Amino acid sequence: MSSRDRSVTSPPWPVAVPAGLALLFLGLPILALLVKAPWDRMWSVLTSETSLQALRLSLETASAATAVAFVVGVPLAWVLARAEFPGRRLARALVTVPLVLPPVVGGIALLLAFGRRGLVGQYLDSCCGITLPFTTPGVVVAEAFVAMPFLVITVEGALRGLDTKLEDAAATLGATRLAVFRRVTLPLILPSLAAGAVLAFARALGEFGATITFAGNLPGVTQTLPLAVYVGLEGDPSEAVALSLVLLAVSVIVLVALRDRWLRTGAAS
Amino acid sequence: MSADTVTTSTRGLQGRVVVERGEFRLDVEIDVRPGEVLAVIGPNGAGKSTLLRAICGLTPLTDGAISLGGAVLDDPAADVLVPAARRGVGVVFQEYRLFPHLSVLDNVAFGPRSAGRSKAQSRTDAAEWVARLRLDDLAQRSPERLSGGQQQRTALARALASGPGVLLLDEPLAALDAATRIDVRRDLSTHLAQFAGPTVIVTHDALDALVLADRIVVLEDGRITQQGTALEVARRPASDYVAKLLGLNLLRGEAADGEVTVDGGGLLHVPDHAMTGPVLVALRPSGIALHTAQPEGSARNVWPGVVDGVEPLGERVRVSVTGAPSVLVDVTPGAVADLHVAPGDAVWLSAKATELEVYPG
């Protein structure tokens, strides 16, 4: 690049300096995590009973929460994008609430709804003997609560952006509305479905506030990876750092998956 | 068989289509017999596509009623509205709307599959149509990797494979380049002739309407301004718009060895040597040159005639010439002044063979 080109594309220093600081601010903690990690003890920490237990529980609950979000979230996205009904705007706003709500508050709200004496929980307990708080299904509920909006919003956006021309064509060929959804709409928004699911999974995996409030912190039952990191900080900080690296690795994988596959192809289609 | 079923079987697509959308109001009577091809032509925004959407069930009627083969499809007064999926309409959409995630074969199999047939059976059904439209080699291909003409045939195969009671085509040739269009148009006219039900084609291309349709309806601003057979409308245009759009010389004749003997007199050299038997020759008025003396030049077709009318038409002047054959010629106002043409004058006409398009008649 010649100096002439640079004079056009390079930012003036009042912009460049704060921009550089911002980048440093975002990058330095990640660097610190990598530098200070107990690389020599890494394998033994990660294969310890507590770590493996937390990791397995995290993967299981995050997968379950993603599945729950998928099964009910995709239909919700369709309804929000396509159906006309009173209160649709209110419903859309409701979907975004868990996105901005502090997760701890979400956990308390879940307790008040599904707790043993909660709005719904008391009946679940008395009629079916189901208790959610402080159980593994409770973790799934907490994670689904915070993760589902990511999926719904991603899929709803894709459905809104989708030209209805192909769906109209399918209808004239005799396909019922359900068949159109299954055989035309879903395949066309596949990239966004995957992106939404990956985002929801990442969010569920990192869930802390709502989980600890609603499901507690019982090793092997509700102690997921982020909770194990938190506990580790008080006992064995190097263990906390090692587990944090696992979560960082997952985040990087998600980022790469979204960048190279879903986001770009989604934008192109 | 009762008398009633006899009349029902001869009924095609009938009704009065009224659709109101804000300021716009479409209000047309339609009646297309089984086997008949109706072309709807008109400028953009005239309501052509709205008419098709109403027939196929994607836009409900505001008023009026539509029936197909005697069965009511839409009747707001009686609160009847058969959804698109149960109308049995075959639609070839503008830009075709092929499913990008399905192969050519599975696109065509979509209709049979929707009718409840098994995956294997619907593919067998589709394969028949794929073969009939000469798409065999492309059956496994994705629509994105097809040429315009191949996409058009895939769309036609998909529409026909669902066994529709009526065929609707929305600007079926608009997405094609001029060179492909001639072949595809010819091909389409063959397939339309084989379809037993009523057919409606929406187009803004006069040649499509003249070549493909038995009858033409001119739609302007939501209303029918003229209708009749292709030749009637082309000969007696009711408005400047129709005259400009449909002012096309369409001649019937017999083709042999690159020559067409025109019914009513005249012999024309045509570019297509393979065509034999009854044909339609299309010749644009702007493709004919007008001379006061016998021209010397490379044009293959030269013939004398007598001017029987001179009519201004926008920036052009349309001269009607009686001869063998009789034709309409478009010239510039300057040329009219230079040549001093007036009714009764003897003139010479010339047209290059390449200006003539030949279709099976």
Side-chain angles (χ1 to χ4, degrees), chain A residues 195-231:
Chain A
V198 168
L199 279 174
F201 181 79
R203 181 67 188 86
L205 199 68
E207 219 310 298
F208 179 82
T211 311
I212 203 164
T213 317
F214 182 59
N217 186 14
L218 310 169
V221 182
T222 69
Q223 193 184 78
T224 56
L225 216 47
L227 271 55
V229 169
Y230 180 72
V231 171

Side-chain angles (χ1 to χ4, degrees), chain B residues 205-220:
Chain B
D205 186 314
L207 203 50
D208 292 352
L210 293 173
V211 172
L212 300 172
D214 303 306
R215 209 152 50 82
I216 291 177
V217 159
V218 182
L219 196 61
E220 287 177 87

Side-chain angles (χ1 to χ4, degrees), chain A residues 164-177 179-180 182-185 187-188, chain B residues 53 56 58 84-85 89 91 93 97-101 107 109-111 113-114 158-159 162:
Chain A
T164 56
K165 282 176 174 175
L166 289 171
E167 293 170 326
D168 283 351
T172 66
L173 289 165
T176 60
R177 294 186 80 186
V180 172
R182 203 169 51 77
R183 294 174 53 207
V184 176
T185 315
L188 288 176
Chain B
R53 286 181 64 85
C56 69
L58 296 172
V89 290
V91 191
F93 290 94
R97 303 193 191 177
L98 299 173
F99 303 123
H101 59 292
N107 261 280
F110 196 96
R113 188 94 173 94
S114 299
R158 185 179 69 173
S162 62

Side-chain angles (χ1 to χ4, degrees), chain A residues 32-106:
Chain A
L33 200 57
L34 291 171
V35 169
K36 300 286 268 182
W39 292 104
D40 48 336
R41 287 182 53 213
M42 192 63 98
W43 186 250
S44 63
V45 170
L46 290 184
T47 51
S48 76
E49 179 68 29
T50 342
S51 301
L52 283 179
Q53 217 171 39
L55 184 61
R56 191 177 47 80
L57 187 70
S58 268
L59 291 175
E60 282 172 4
T61 53
S63 300
T66 307
V68 168
F70 202 87
V71 169
V72 294
V74 173
L76 176 59
W78 188 87
V79 167
L80 291 178
R82 291 292 162 78
E84 293 284 344
F85 61 94
R88 186 170 71 154
R89 294 174 65 131
L90 189 71
R92 292 195 72 204
L94 201 63
V95 169
T96 54
V97 168
L99 280 183
V100 290
L101 195 71
V104 174
V105 180

